[in-house]
Structure formats: structure tokens, C-alpha cells
Amino acid sequence: MRVLPPAFEPTCYATAPDEPPTLSDCTFYHTMELPGLGTQYGQWDLRPGIADYLGATEFAGCRVLEIGTADGFVCFELERRGASVVAFDLADDLTYDALPLSGEFLQTDAYRNGLRRIRNAYWLGHRLFRSSARVAYGHVNRLPAFLGQFDIGLIANVLQHLQDPIGAIAQVARVCNRIVVTETDWLHGQYDDVKGLIYFDKDNPYVWFQVKPILIEAVLRRLGFGNFCISHHTQRFVEDAEHRGDGSPIGRRTDVDIPHFTVTAERIVPIGLPGTTATQEVG
Ligand SMILES: C[S@@+](CC[C@H](N)C(=O)[O-])C[C@H]1O[C@@H](n2cnc3c(N)ncnc32)[C@H](O)[C@@H]1O
């Protein structure tokens, strides 16, 4: 099992590369329109369902922590909606939490190169959208203190990849007044009557669990959140990335709508000064 080394916890925001990466050195996880470069195609096309994906939340004027930003599609959309965003993703020296017995897959050069190319896509978009988002890298289960507090924490399609999804919910909840949790519901309709389901899900080396909305709600309730809204929607899955033994992806067209759910909630007693939003930034 993974034990996080103490050394990886960052103490400051990342700086953008002096020159943006070239398009040929990028991989897009999401289909997105890049200013001046047109449509880039990714595994997921969240564009038609993005309002549902964000839990119909109002982001204008809010300081937002976005966990698992990947190529930044959601980050840039949040900015377009008027948010001030801190985008967070895995530190360079980390990989996805590897499942026990998953072998060396997550350590291969091809796999690490894939992560690097998605990060490049983020920085290319950051430049082209003239983004003001700040970026930090680390592990969601140990959010760095310098990030401060947020009006809204958003964690979308990250829980399934974590050895400790409950710990991650607690980490995000600790620093925000409102929370949006979105996950692919691979087990849609199955086991919905089982309270608090956390289910070992798929047979790829970086998907641990299917966490059901009722469990997320129960955890957040314990952490002082209320006013829950659970919604169900579908999102377009364009391409299934299977992986060769060396970790390099093989794209397989799918074009199917996959069930998702979104849980939104707000802290019953807000953090921060009474009567203000949680816009304190530390460091
Ligand atoms: C499936 S993608 C989801 C991307 C985007 N959030 C979305 O909703 O489409 C998972 C993202 O979470 C990031 N991630 C995986 N493990 C993480 C961790 N322990 N801490 C922070 N980010 C992580 C990955 O690098 C990737 O960018």
C-alpha cells in the first residue's frame, strides 16, 4: 500500500513555463476549443453537460479550488464563469495511487510521459486563455496549508483513483464552505439501495473504488455540511483509452453517454470571518 512521503508537500504555487508547450507535445483529456488553435479532441466531451457536471453551481466572484485539473478544461470553464481558481493536480514525482499487485505500469516512461503531455496541455491552455488561475501540485490527501481557504471546493472524477477517497473528501471539505463532488457512476442503478457503498470497481491499475453519492453525503454530513443536492446526468465518453503493457494508450472510439452524479453541499457554520466569503489566501 502507498505511504505518502513527507517531502512532496509543496510550499508555493507552480510557475508557468516561460514558453508555452507546443501543440504537438500535448495530450487533451477533454475535448476543448483552444483560442486560435481550434478544437482539440479528448476522451471526454464535457461541453454539452458542463452545467450539470458543475452541479448547477454559481461560481461568479468565488475563490474555487479545483482538484485534478488535468488539461484545465474545467478550470478555464470556471474562470469563464467568473471564478478565481486554484487548480491542483499530482506532483511531478507522484503517479496515480497504484493498486496492490498492479505491477510497474504506473512507473513506465510511457505512462509518465502521458501525464507530462496532459500537464503541457494545461499550460498551453493557460497561456491561450490568458488564464489567471494559480496552480499547485501535490496529492489531494495532503493539501498544502499555503492554499488557504475557498468559497467552493470542486473534486470531479478523482475519488475513484484514490486509495483513500474519504480522506480526500475530508481534505477538500476542511478548506471550503461549499463543495461539489462529481463522479462517473459506473455502477448506475446497481446497488443504489446499499447504504454507503464503496465498491472495488474496474480492472485497470488506477481505478480503486466506485464511491456512491450516499456515502459522500454521509461523510460530508459528519464534517458539518448540509443543504445537500444530489443530481444525476450523463456525460459523453468519446474514446476509451486502453493501455499497452508499457502504459501507452490505445484509443478506442465509443461515443456513449455515461451516467454521472454530482453532490453539492454547504457548510452549516461557514469558515472565515462572519459575514464574509472565505477568500483568505495564505502565502
Ligand atoms: C479522471 S481525471 C479527471 C479530470 C477532471 N477533474 C475532470 O473532471 O474531468 C483525474 C485527474 O486527477 C488527477 N489526480 C489523480 N490522483 C490525484 C491525486 N492523488 N491528487 C491530485 N490529483 C490527482 C489526475 O492527474 C487527473 O488530472
Side-chain angles (χ1 to χ4, degrees):
M1 300 289 263
R2 185 191 192 89
V3 177
L4 297 174
F8 78 87
E9 186 168 320
T11 54
C12 61
Y13 292 109
T15 44
D18 292 340
E19 289 301 321
T22 58
L23 193 55
S24 62
D25 209 14
C26 296
T27 297
F28 290 83
Y29 179 74
H30 303 96
T31 296
M32 60 199 280
E33 305 287 333
L34 281 187
L37 293 179
T39 308
Q40 310 303 319
Y41 293 93
Q43 272 181 56
W44 288 94
D45 189 354
L46 302 182
R47 295 173 300 170
I50 187 64
D52 292 335
Y53 200 78
L54 300 176
T57 304
E58 177 59 64
F59 289 96
C62 294
R63 184 166 194 253
V64 179
L65 175 63
E66 193 232 340
I67 303 293
T69 194
D71 56 20
F73 169 78
V74 172
C75 168
F76 306 135
E77 174 64 22
L78 293 171
E79 284 194 295
R80 201 183 63 75
R81 290 167 181 251
S84 161
V85 185
V86 172
F88 189 84
D89 212 294
L90 272 176
D92 233 357
D93 49 349
L94 297 177
T95 66
Y96 279 59
D97 292 355
L99 261 64
L101 308 181
S102 61
E104 298 302 307
F105 175 91
L106 297 179
Q107 300 301 336
T108 59
D109 289 345
Y111 178 76
R112 285 187 173 278
N113 195 38
L115 293 184
R116 185 187 64 78
R117 290 178 59 87
I118 292 175
R119 180 176 305 201
N120 283 347
Y122 179 90
W123 286 117
L124 179 58
H126 193 271
R127 174 69 68 99
L128 295 174
F129 284 108
R130 300 178 190 278
S131 170
S132 311
R134 312 206 68 179
V135 182
Y137 295 117
H139 192 294
V140 63
N141 285 99
R142 207 180 290 165
L143 284 180
F146 80 87
L147 296 179
Q149 296 174 353
F150 296 85
D151 297 296
I152 305 175
L154 168 67
I155 179 163
N157 274 316
V158 179
L159 295 181
Q160 63 197 274
H161 299 298
L162 302 173
Q163 179 178 314
D164 178 11
I166 307 302
I169 295 169
Q171 284 277 302
V172 179
R174 190 175 54 81
V175 297
C176 67
N177 277 328
R178 285 187 281 153
I179 190 163
V180 180
V181 183
T182 292
E183 281 286 301
T184 310
D185 198 352
W186 297 109
L187 298 178
H188 182 67
Q190 301 175 54
Y191 313 111
D192 281 348
D193 53 340
V194 180
K195 200 168 182 183
L197 179 73
I198 189 163
Y199 180 81
F200 189 83
D201 185 26
K202 299 186 86 193
D203 60 359
N204 77 47
Y206 48 80
V207 172
W208 281 77
F209 297 119
Q210 176 71 71
V211 185
K212 281 289 194 179
I214 195 166
L215 178 57
I216 296 168
E217 178 180 344
V219 171
L220 286 170
R221 213 175 271 291
R222 291 274 176 159
L223 294 169
F225 283 72
N227 200 13
F228 287 91
C229 179
I230 298 177
S231 54
H232 295 270
H233 47 98
T234 59
Q235 300 294 334
R236 182 127 274 237
F237 193 37
V238 183
E239 186 184 272
D240 196 1
E242 294 170 356
H243 295 269
R244 297 189 177 89
D246 65 358
S248 57
I250 315 163
R252 187 170 59 85
R253 293 291 300 184
T254 57
D255 288 315
V256 287
D257 292 324
I258 304 281
H260 279 64
F261 66 80
T262 297
V263 180
T264 62
E266 58 188 42
R267 189 177 280 284
I268 292 167
V269 180
I271 50 178
L273 296 173
T276 69
T277 52
T279 48
Q280 301 296 314
E281 188 175 340
V282 181

